[in-house]
Amino acid sequence: MRLLLIEDDPMIGKAVREGLRSAGFAVDWVVDGRSAEASLADPGYALALLDLGLPSQDGMQLLRKLRAGGATLPVLIASARDAVGDRIAGLNAGADDYVTKPFDLDELIARVHALLRRHAGAANPLQCYGALVLDPLQRRVTLRGTEVALSPREFASLEALMRRPGAVLSREQLEDAVYGWGDEVGSNAIEVHLHHLRRKLGAEAIRNVRGVGYRVSELT
Ligand code: CA
């Protein structure tokens, strides 16, 4: 899943980006309000992490614009503004959660997972579809109770498909979910990941809907 990190502090931004990457997320990082606004127009993000004190446009202003435009993207504010009034204002402006700096990185990641889960309408941390079970926290997949070893990109491809079980995702949507800016993406990279997934999970696991994209099958 691809996240947008909006943070002007280079040390914090770097640490958060690395933490999220090692948790398996693709992360795009912007350092000012104006580029954040431009990036938020991209519908490919699963969640935004929003700092409030930013050059060129304040985070609260960005958030209000985002919600006024009808965007449902989950937003987690991470700010040094720790007064109760600031936290209330952030949540009331449409943020889904608010953490104050300094925060614990593991807790931040746990909150990201919780927000993504709720946004997908799920309460169970495990994503289950037929005989397939995907654990986004442990980054494990089991098929009929047996663990299947996947590469990080294979896992990310399957996770994107399993977030919307039965729905057809285009190659571009899968690329958006699996890769961040600056990642090298070969022209047939997604096809290669899906080919490996089929080899490991069975040919019927991933369906190719010709000319449209791919969907995950409900395996028995
Ligand atoms: Ca800041």
Side-chain angles (χ1 to χ4, degrees), residues 7-9 51-55 78 101:
E7 171 62 67
D8 66 320
D9 182 302
D51 180 26
L52 294 182
L54 292 167
K101 292 172 182 165

Side-chain angles (χ1 to χ4, degrees), residues 130-133 141-148 200-202 204-205 218-220:
L132 266 177
V133 178
V141 169
T142 60
L143 174 60
R144 300 178 194 98
T146 304
E147 183 162 358
V148 183
K200 294 176 179 181
L201 301 171
E204 73 283 14
E218 190 167 12
L219 300 173
T220 53

Side-chain angles (χ1 to χ4, degrees), residues 3-207:
L3 311 183
L4 182 64
L5 170 62
I6 306 165
E7 171 62 67
D8 66 320
D9 182 302
M11 293 250 295
I12 298 174
K14 199 156 179 270
V16 172
R17 182 176 61 179
E18 290 321 303
L20 289 167
R21 277 185 177 165
S22 41
F25 295 103
V27 182
D28 294 341
W29 177 16
V30 292
V31 298
D32 67 84
R34 205 162 293 144
S35 36
E37 188 173 356
S39 301
L40 284 166
D42 177 341
Y45 293 110
L47 179 144
L49 284 135
L50 177 65
D51 180 26
L52 294 182
L54 292 167
S56 80
Q57 184 166 208
D58 188 78
M60 284 294 288
Q61 197 184 343
L62 263 175
L63 177 61
R64 288 203 185 89
K65 277 194 207 170
L66 182 76
R67 292 305 184 225
T72 60
L73 177 77
V75 173
L76 197 173
I77 292 177
S79 173
R81 297 178 195 166
D82 60 357
V84 174
D86 289 317
R87 301 191 323 247
I88 291 172
L91 293 166
N92 284 346
D96 300 280
D97 199 358
Y98 194 118
V99 296
T100 55
K101 292 172 182 165
F103 48 76
D104 180 272
L105 196 50
D106 289 333
E107 184 188 343
L108 184 83
I109 293 166
R111 286 179 185 274
V112 166
H113 278 294
L115 290 173
L116 292 171
R117 201 151 69 215
R118 282 297 175 185
H119 188 66
N124 185 350
L126 298 178
Q127 295 177 25
C128 309
Y129 190 53
L132 266 177
V133 178
L134 181 145
D135 181 343
L137 305 176
Q138 304 295 327
R139 309 195 60 66
R140 294 175 66 221
V141 169
T142 60
L143 174 60
R144 300 178 194 98
T146 304
E147 183 162 358
V148 183
L150 301 180
S151 76
R153 304 285 197 210
E154 290 160 18
F155 183 92
S157 306
L158 183 64
E159 187 179 30
L161 291 167
M162 282 190 66
R163 278 191 87 205
R164 295 173 58 196
V168 178
L169 298 192
S170 67
R171 184 163 60 87
E172 290 71 24
Q173 284 173 308
L174 284 166
E175 276 179 7
D176 272 358
V178 174
Y179 294 97
W181 297 338
D183 286 336
E184 287 274 344
V185 191
S187 59
N188 64 343
I190 291 294
E191 280 85 352
V192 171
H193 302 324
L194 297 180
H195 172 76
H196 290 155
L197 281 172
R198 284 199 187 100
R199 217 180 51 206
K200 294 176 179 181
L201 301 171
E204 73 283 14
I206 312 287
R207 297 283 181 192

